[in-house]
Amino acid sequence: MRPVELKIQAFGPYAERETIDFTQLVGRSMFVVSGRTGAGKTTIFDAMTFALYGRASGALRNASDFRSQYAQAEMKTEVDFSFTIRGDRYRIVRQPQQPHPKNKTPIPHEAVLYEWEDGWKPVATKVNEVQEQIESILQLSYEQFSQILLLPQNQFRQLLDSNSNEKQQILQSIFKTEAYRAFQERWAERFSSYRKQVEWAVERTRLKLLELEDEAIEDVSTKSIDVIHHWLNEREQHLITTAEMAADQKQVHSKTFEQARAELEQARALVSLFQEQQETVQALNQFLKGETERNERHELLRHLEAAATIRPVHDRLLEMEKHVLRMTIEDEASSKKLEQLQQKQSSLSEQQVAIEEDKQKILSLQERLRLIDEMLPRMKERAEHVTHREQLTKRAKDLSTFPKEARLQELQERERHFVETLAIEPEERAIDAERYVDRLLYLDKLETKMNKLSDQLAACERDGKEVQRLHAIQQELMNKYKQQEQMNMARQLSEALEDGEPCPVCGSRHHDVPQFEEAVEYLDERESAMTRLEELSTRLIEARADYRSLHQQLETVRREFDEGLKDVQVESSLTEEIKKWQTHTNRLQREERTRLENERTLRQLTGEMRQLEEERRNQFEERQRVLAELEATQQKLNALGQTEEATLEGLQTERTERQNLLTALTKKVESFNHDFEIVKKETWKEEERLTLLRQQLVEARGQFDIQRTIWSEQLEAARLTQERYEQLASRIDQRTKMQEDLQREEEEGIRLRHRIQMIEEKLGTVERPDLQSIEMKVNEAKALYERASEHFISSQDALFRHRQIVSEWHVLREETAREEQKLETIKLIAETGKGINPQKMTFETYVQTAFFDQILHAANIHLDQMTSGQFRLERKVETAKGNAKSGLELLVFDAYTGQSRRVQNLSGGEGFKASLSLALGLAEVVQQLSGGVSLETMLIDEGFGTLDAESLDQAIELLMSLQATGRLVGVISHVQELKDRVDARIEVKKSRSGSTIQLIVE
């Protein structure tokens, strides 16, 4: 992320709109923010952080405090910040919650994020959406931004002092190690699910044996594999023997059953033949009984043939009869309709006289309407002028008096009062008193720090003496152990000496062996004492280093206190002096706030007065215009002259009434003419139709009489009467079916006689068999055969099921063994990834340590330069106690003592150099690896004041060397040497009405 432009409005100490254009740096990659205390230097970093995250850069300031006390009420507090990242350009416009200038409802917190695409286009318009988008673009949360890109005032050690878990989150966001964490979590989930799968496979293998449904299987399934195999083989052999015996029994009973069934089939055939003979004889006797009825149907069939011959003549007669009837009905209806039309025509003829009178009224109304239309335009124009004259007269009367005259006079009086009050200049400025209070507070802080360091130094001295005492005691104990060890060695040597053999120490061949006391070995105690001595030595070195560090800090603070006390006159204690000057400063601030409020009120009064005077002048000009227009309207009325007695409203009313009457009469006449013409046409048409109908009716009646004579002749020729024909008419269409039924019955009689003759020839002299006894014999043989078959099938099924289950069990057992081996491998990978290993380090942390080691390597290059090789940052490799995460804790190696210690023990200046080195190393590694996080900018708020002259020079040289990398470094500092060596400065100037910003590039 690299800033492009920052606009601040009514923000903190800035009353107006201030702009910082970072593009004016023109290739420079470092700038210094300078200004007096309280001018608003840190507010610049606050504005950037607030624009991005809606929060301040430090933990001591809140977004609700950003409203400027110097700004006018109508000016909104707002930050407009644009920046580039990875070639894309973004812009954020954000305003905090602030009071509304006119009502009690505050203006809410709002934010809009834009992206440059041939113009600014909004990407997110809600606060939550902007927050999510910014964290996605920068790939950093607010806390990570404050630890990596920004070193806030008094909080620059956050990244350095953070624990392993916090560093893990930072490295996770920067180097995108979520994939490794997801990898280890997937393996843990895989182990959990796979373990359940294996447990189910083991149980499924055991349940497969239980499918054998044997009484002994419950006990056998818990035995060893060899026992299970032996039992399964014995069971299979038993099932094979049972199946073979069942097959032999089935074959014997099958032959017996087949013989009995053949005998039964033969007997059933003879019985069926005897039964068919009996049924055929009965059917023939039944046929002979229906001979008389068949003759009657033959006679009926003859009559139906005759009726079918004359039916067309009868159908024609009925059709003609219906036609005559229909024509008669139409004749009667036409006569009735003609009579009604003639009556309606007569009625309309009687109304014709009244219609002629209405036509005369229409002509009269049309003439009157023409005259009214000629008069209306002149009447309407005069009425409009009269109305306009009345409106202008009322408007001129309203404008003759200015309604806000009293308010204007009141404002003029108040303006004179405020001018007289502000003419008196204050004797003393609050800013001078504030500076003096700041110096007193700084001295009080130094005094408190000096007292605290004195107490710490005394405590450190006491602890050091105690450690030194314990170290001396432990050293004496170790000397005793050494003496005892030497005595043991001498005793062992003397025991090995022999007369005549040279001593390996002195070479003498005569040995005077002294008497030794009984020696006891204390190996465990000696090792424990040695460990204790090493621990006390380490503590003693640390205590001496802490003492030197605290003593140096105390001397530095004491020199600063004495230097600051030179220009300060303290009559009593610092605390009382601070209270006295704070009270005095508060009084001066209240007076200045009152004066500022009076100045703001005076500006408001002046503005309101100008507005009222402008309104009064506009009202006078408006009245003059209205009077001129009133005079012009009166001249137009005079030109029109006097009008007729009739008014405009009366003429308009009369025209409406006459127009309505004209419309009604016209519709009435047109309706009468239309109805009269229609009735005349319909009457003529109906007369013609009635004449034609009567001619057709006479012709139809003559044809009907002729057809009736023909029908009588046809009945006589067919030897039928009218009544007999009507009885037969409904059955004429059934004659074909009746003829077919008679023919089929006669053919059936012939077939029955022939069938009886054939059966008698087949039976001959054979007697009827006893079918019941033969069926009983067959059923007995069948039952025996079915029982043998069922026994054979069950034995075969049992053998097949046994073999199938055993085969499936073998497959399942092999699969389960493979799954158990695979589970062990998955378990090892899952537990190692989760940190269940000697290092107690997860897979993600292991990957992060590789990145972190690169960061420390890059950071130590800078730290070595700034500390002249004294300090080096190291990653703690010892395993943490308990379940705490480890792998990313930091230690600092001190080359002066040769020992490593916790980074929290670094002094303020040392901590600043270590933090700066760590931030620079992190930025360099990220850029080398082309990660998703852009660390092109670093912002440092103070911290240089804690460095001595040599360290300051080293830090400045380091920052100046960064210009070659292209990274932008912004520094807030009061150190004059830093401001002198950097040619780009943002100067913040403080005044009574608020601070201003000026970017200077030399």
Side-chain angles (χ1 to χ4, degrees):
M1 188 275 293
R2 195 177 188 92
V4 175
E5 186 178 49
L6 176 66
K7 297 179 181 179
I8 307 173
Q9 177 176 294
F11 191 86
Y14 302 102
E16 303 295 333
R17 189 174 185 87
E18 302 293 333
T19 301
I20 303 176
D21 186 0
F22 292 95
T23 59
Q24 295 182 9
L25 296 177
V26 193
R28 294 171 177 82
S29 57
M30 186 172 178
F31 64 90
V32 174
V33 182
S34 63
R36 292 186 300 175
T37 302
K41 301 183 295 299
T42 302
T43 305
I44 295 176
F45 290 177
D46 282 340
M48 294 183 188
T49 311
F50 172 72
L52 294 172
Y53 295 97
R55 298 170 64 179
S57 62
L60 302 178
R61 297 176 295 280
N62 297 319
S64 58
D65 301 329
F66 286 153
R67 174 66 183 174
S68 176
Q69 298 179 354
Y70 301 99
Q72 297 182 4
E74 62 273 8
M75 180 174 290
K76 280 188 178 181
T77 299
E78 182 179 85
V79 177
D80 187 341
F81 181 48
S82 59
F83 61 93
T84 59
I85 181 169
R86 293 183 293 275
D88 297 326
R89 186 175 177 185
Y90 297 91
R91 174 189 174 199
I92 303 178
V93 179
R94 189 189 293 267
Q95 63 179 31
Q97 180 175 333
Q98 53 193 290
H100 196 282
K102 295 184 179 179
N103 53 48
K104 296 182 179 180
T105 304
I107 299 174
H109 181 190
E110 296 179 355
V112 182
L113 174 63
Y114 301 90
E115 183 177 7
W116 181 266
E117 292 181 3
D118 298 329
W120 291 115
K121 297 183 180 179
V123 177
T125 57
K126 296 182 179 179
V127 175
N128 294 337
E129 295 176 355
V130 171
Q131 183 75 12
E132 294 175 0
Q133 290 287 339
I134 284 298
E135 291 186 0
S136 175
I137 293 170
L138 300 183
Q139 297 293 305
L140 293 172
S141 65
Y142 166 77
E143 290 76 12
Q144 295 164 356
F145 178 86
S146 299
Q147 292 176 342
I148 299 172
L149 295 185
L150 172 65
L151 300 183
Q153 187 177 17
N154 300 324
Q155 301 176 48
F156 55 82
R157 296 177 56 142
Q158 285 186 351
L159 179 60
L160 183 70
D161 296 338
S162 59
N163 57 32
S164 183
N165 188 32
E166 293 171 345
K167 290 188 180 72
Q168 181 178 354
Q169 294 177 0
I170 294 172
L171 296 177
Q172 183 184 89
S173 298
I174 295 175
F175 297 106
K176 303 296 182 294
T177 59
E178 298 92 340
Y180 304 101
R181 181 181 58 184
F183 172 81
Q184 68 193 36
E185 291 175 353
R186 283 199 303 272
W187 275 98
E189 293 173 359
R190 184 177 180 183
F191 169 68
S192 177
S193 61
Y194 208 80
R195 181 178 59 187
K196 296 178 182 178
Q197 181 178 340
V198 172
E199 291 173 353
W200 167 240
V202 173
E203 180 64 16
R204 185 177 57 184
T205 305
R206 192 184 72 85
L207 292 176
K208 178 56 69 174
L209 284 178
L210 297 182
E211 292 180 8
L212 292 175
E213 299 178 355
D214 195 290
E215 295 180 356
I217 193 61
E218 283 285 352
D219 181 56
V220 173
S221 64
T222 60
K223 304 292 183 181
S224 64
I225 297 297
D226 295 336
V227 173
I228 294 175
H229 275 299
H230 180 70
W231 183 85
L232 291 174
N233 292 333
E234 288 183 348
R235 187 174 189 272
E236 182 177 0
Q237 190 61 40
H238 173 71
L239 292 174
I240 291 172
T241 303
T242 303
E244 290 175 351
M245 293 174 60
D248 295 340
Q249 292 178 2
K250 176 185 176 184
Q251 188 175 5
V252 172
H253 289 294
S254 176
K255 291 179 181 179
T256 304
F257 176 61
E258 289 297 331
Q259 293 173 358
R261 190 165 59 180
E263 184 181 353
L264 177 62
E265 291 296 329
Q266 186 177 4
R268 283 178 176 173
L270 289 175
V271 171
S272 176
L273 199 57
F274 276 106
Q275 187 175 356
E276 185 179 1
Q277 180 187 28
Q278 183 180 355
E279 292 175 354
T280 306
V281 171
Q282 291 177 356
L284 182 60
N285 294 333
Q286 186 69 25
F287 173 75
L288 295 175
K289 290 180 180 179
E291 189 68 28
T292 304
E293 190 267 338
R294 284 193 293 276
N295 293 332
E296 292 177 354
R297 281 191 287 168
H298 277 293
E299 182 64 20
L300 176 61
L301 187 59
R302 187 184 64 79
H303 288 169
L304 288 173
E305 290 292 342
T309 304
I310 65 174
R311 185 168 63 175
V313 178
H314 183 262
D315 292 342
R316 176 62 179 166
L317 179 64
L318 292 178
E319 183 180 352
M320 295 182 68
E321 184 179 5
K322 291 178 182 179
H323 181 63
V324 171
L325 179 60
R326 186 171 58 252
M327 295 293 292
T328 304
I329 294 172
E330 290 181 1
D331 179 80
E332 293 175 355
S334 179
S335 299
K336 185 175 180 181
K337 183 177 180 181
L338 179 61
E339 183 178 355
Q340 293 175 352
L341 289 172
Q342 289 174 347
Q343 291 177 356
K344 188 174 182 180
Q345 185 177 8
S346 176
S347 175
L348 289 173
S349 299
E350 293 175 357
Q351 299 177 12
Q352 195 165 10
V353 176
I355 291 301
E356 291 296 330
E357 295 178 356
D358 290 338
K359 290 180 180 180
Q360 294 298 323
K361 291 180 180 179
I362 288 172
L363 296 175
S364 175
L365 289 171
Q366 290 175 344
E367 180 63 22
R368 179 56 181 170
L369 286 173
R370 186 183 63 78
L371 295 174
I372 291 174
D373 290 340
E374 292 178 355
M375 297 170 60
L376 277 176
R378 295 194 303 274
M379 296 294 293
K380 188 179 296 184
E381 183 181 1
R382 181 175 182 79
E384 290 175 354
H385 286 316
V386 170
T387 302
H388 188 53
R389 182 183 62 185
E390 294 174 355
Q391 293 174 350
L392 291 174
T393 302
K394 184 177 182 302
R395 177 64 176 162
K397 182 178 180 182
D398 294 339
L399 293 174
S400 61
T401 305
F402 184 58
K404 298 180 181 180
E405 186 67 32
R407 175 60 178 169
L408 180 59
Q409 293 177 0
E410 178 187 354
L411 291 176
Q412 291 172 347
E413 183 63 28
R414 291 182 63 189
E415 181 187 25
R416 285 192 296 271
H417 171 72
F418 280 114
V419 170
E420 293 173 359
T421 302
L422 293 173
I424 303 173
E425 291 292 335
E427 297 178 357
E428 186 179 358
R429 297 187 307 169
I431 187 65
D432 298 330
E434 289 175 8
R435 293 174 180 173
Y436 193 76
V437 170
D438 290 341
R439 296 187 64 182
L440 291 175
L441 289 173
Y442 178 67
L443 287 173
D444 183 63
K445 182 179 178 182
L446 290 176
E447 186 179 27
T448 303
K449 186 175 181 180
M450 189 166 55
N451 294 333
K452 183 178 178 181
L453 288 172
S454 298
D455 296 339
Q456 291 177 353
L457 187 63
C460 183
E461 184 177 3
R462 289 193 300 272
D463 295 342
K465 289 179 179 179
E466 178 65 19
V467 171
Q468 187 174 6
R469 186 182 66 81
L470 295 174
H471 184 271
I473 295 172
Q474 198 68 21
Q475 185 67 46
E476 292 178 1
L477 181 60
M478 284 302 302
N479 292 334
K480 291 181 181 179
Y481 280 123
K482 288 180 180 179
Q483 291 175 3
Q484 185 176 5
E485 183 179 8
Q486 292 173 358
M487 292 295 292
N488 286 337
M489 293 176 61
R491 181 177 58 80
Q492 293 174 1
L493 179 62
S494 65
E495 291 176 352
L497 293 176
E498 295 181 2
D499 289 336
E501 295 293 331
C503 175
V505 178
C506 62
S508 176
R509 294 179 181 273
H510 300 284
H511 312 294
D512 295 329
V513 180
Q515 297 295 323
F516 292 98
E517 296 180 359
E518 186 67 22
V520 182
E521 295 184 356
Y522 298 98
L523 295 179
D524 294 340
E525 289 83 350
R526 184 178 182 280
E527 291 295 329
S528 176
M530 178 64 71
T531 303
R532 176 63 174 165
L533 180 60
E534 292 177 355
E535 179 184 349
L536 289 173
S537 298
T538 302
R539 289 178 56 188
L540 183 60
I541 293 172
E542 291 180 352
R544 289 172 179 172
D546 291 343
Y547 181 84
R548 288 196 300 271
S549 176
L550 289 172
H551 186 270
Q552 182 180 1
Q553 293 180 39
L554 179 61
E555 290 300 322
T556 301
V557 173
R558 185 177 285 116
R559 285 196 300 271
E560 292 180 5
F561 180 78
D562 294 339
E563 185 69 23
L565 199 61
K566 291 180 180 179
D567 299 331
V568 176
Q569 297 179 357
V570 181
E571 298 177 357
S572 56
S573 65
L574 275 174
T575 305
E576 294 178 356
E577 193 72 17
I578 290 172
K579 290 181 179 179
K580 181 182 72 175
W581 275 94
Q582 284 180 337
T583 303
H584 181 61
T585 303
N586 292 335
R587 181 180 62 80
L588 292 176
Q589 288 176 341
R590 287 194 299 272
E591 292 177 357
E592 286 193 359
R593 283 196 296 271
T594 303
R595 183 176 182 84
L596 290 173
E597 185 65 29
N598 290 338
E599 291 176 352
R600 187 179 296 108
T601 305
L602 179 59
R603 289 195 297 270
Q604 293 175 352
L605 290 175
T606 303
E608 187 176 357
M609 285 173 54
R610 291 175 180 173
Q611 182 178 358
L612 291 176
E613 290 173 352
E614 180 69 20
E615 290 179 3
R616 184 170 62 179
R617 182 169 57 256
N618 293 338
Q619 180 175 327
F620 176 77
E621 294 175 355
E622 176 68 12
R623 185 170 183 273
Q624 294 300 114
R625 187 190 63 78
V626 169
L627 291 174
E629 188 175 354
L630 178 61
E631 183 178 358
T633 302
Q634 184 62 45
Q635 291 177 359
K636 292 179 181 178
L637 283 172
N638 295 335
L640 288 173
Q642 297 297 327
T643 183
E644 299 177 2
E645 295 181 358
T647 63
L648 176 62
E649 291 78 5
L651 285 176
Q652 289 176 339
T653 302
E654 180 185 355
R655 188 184 187 288
T656 301
E657 292 174 352
R658 291 181 179 275
Q659 183 64 48
N660 293 338
L661 180 58
L662 176 62
T663 302
L665 290 175
T666 303
K667 288 182 178 179
K668 180 179 178 182
V669 171
E670 291 176 352
S671 176
F672 173 80
N673 292 334
H674 180 264
D675 293 343
F676 190 72
E677 289 297 324
I678 289 175
V679 169
K680 285 170 61 178
K681 291 180 180 179
E682 289 181 352
T683 301
W684 177 79
K685 289 181 180 179
E686 198 60 35
E687 288 176 350
E688 293 293 327
R689 182 171 177 273
L690 180 60
T691 303
L692 181 60
L693 283 173
R694 288 178 176 174
Q695 292 176 359
Q696 293 175 352
L697 181 59
V698 172
E699 294 177 359
R701 285 175 178 170
Q703 292 178 359
F704 176 71
D705 293 338
I706 295 172
Q707 189 65 25
R708 187 162 51 189
T709 303
I710 295 172
W711 170 245
S712 299
E713 293 174 354
Q714 290 290 332
L715 280 175
E716 184 177 356
R719 297 180 182 180
L720 295 174
T721 63
Q722 179 70 28
E723 292 76 14
R724 181 58 179 168
Y725 174 81
E726 292 176 355
Q727 293 174 357
L728 297 173
S730 59
R731 303 181 64 183
I732 290 175
D733 295 334
Q734 300 177 0
R735 64 186 190 280
T736 303
K737 185 176 181 303
M738 291 173 62
Q739 188 174 2
E740 292 175 353
D741 291 342
L742 285 171
Q743 184 178 356
R744 187 168 53 253
E745 290 175 4
E746 291 172 352
E747 291 175 353
E748 180 65 19
I750 296 171
R751 188 189 67 80
L752 290 173
R753 292 187 182 93
H754 180 67
R755 182 60 182 164
I756 290 173
Q757 184 179 358
M758 289 179 61
I759 292 173
E760 288 176 352
E761 291 175 357
K762 287 182 180 181
L763 289 176
T765 60
V766 178
E767 295 182 358
R768 188 179 184 124
D770 187 0
L771 187 62
Q772 185 175 4
S773 62
I774 297 173
E775 287 179 347
M776 289 178 62
K777 181 180 178 181
V778 171
N779 290 336
E780 291 175 359
K782 181 180 180 182
L784 292 174
Y785 171 72
E786 288 177 350
R787 282 196 295 273
S789 297
E790 290 175 358
H791 181 57
F792 172 74
I793 293 172
S794 62
S795 62
Q796 289 288 338
D797 288 345
L799 178 59
F800 175 76
R801 181 168 177 77
H802 172 86
R803 289 175 174 173
Q804 183 180 14
I805 292 175
V806 171
S807 175
E808 293 174 354
W809 176 73
H810 283 299
V811 173
L812 288 175
R813 192 170 61 82
E814 294 174 359
E815 291 178 353
T816 302
R818 289 194 298 270
E819 293 294 323
E820 287 175 340
Q821 293 177 357
K822 189 174 180 180
L823 178 64
E824 289 300 320
T825 304
I826 294 174
K827 179 181 179 182
L828 178 61
I829 297 174
E831 290 181 349
T832 303
K834 288 169 59 179
I836 305 176
N837 50 60
Q839 291 76 24
K840 293 185 180 179
M841 187 183 299
T842 65
F843 181 52
E844 182 186 13
T845 305
Y846 174 75
V847 175
Q848 289 175 345
T849 57
F851 292 117
F852 196 48
D853 288 342
Q854 296 182 48
I855 294 171
L856 294 181
H857 176 73
N860 283 326
I861 295 175
H862 302 303
L863 185 59
D864 182 83
Q865 178 182 348
M866 285 193 290
T867 63
S868 300
Q870 179 182 359
F871 295 115
R872 184 177 72 250
L873 294 174
E874 296 178 340
R875 182 172 60 84
K876 185 177 180 183
V877 296
E878 288 80 4
T879 304
K881 297 181 179 180
N883 296 324
K885 293 182 178 179
S886 61
L888 298 177
E889 290 85 359
L890 275 178
L891 298 175
V892 60
F893 176 77
D894 191 342
Y896 292 177
T897 63
Q899 300 289 329
S900 297
R901 51 193 169 107
R902 299 170 64 242
V903 294
Q904 288 78 7
N905 292 334
L906 292 173
S907 66
E910 294 169 345
F912 175 76
K913 288 186 283 186
S915 300
L916 180 59
S917 300
L918 187 61
L920 294 174
L922 176 61
E924 291 173 1
V925 172
V926 170
Q927 290 185 354
Q928 289 173 3
L929 298 179
S930 300
V933 180
S934 175
L935 304 182
E936 301 178 71
T937 302
M938 175 175 290
L939 305 175
I940 305 172
D941 190 354
E942 299 294 350
F944 291 93
T946 61
L947 304 180
D948 55 29
E950 181 181 0
S951 298
L952 176 62
D953 187 65
Q954 293 170 343
I956 293 175
E957 289 295 335
L958 174 63
L959 293 178
M960 297 298 292
S961 66
L962 294 178
Q963 298 189 35
T965 66
R967 188 179 305 120
L968 180 64
V969 179
V971 179
I972 294 178
S973 179
H974 292 282
V975 178
Q976 185 62 39
E977 183 178 354
L978 183 63
K979 292 188 285 184
D980 293 340
R981 296 186 60 178
V982 178
D983 57 359
R985 301 189 308 277
I986 296 177
E987 292 190 354
V988 183
K989 297 181 179 179
K990 185 178 181 181
S991 64
R992 295 182 182 180
S993 58
S995 299
T996 57
I997 296 174
Q998 182 180 5
L999 177 60
I1000 300 175
V1001 180
E1002 297 178 354

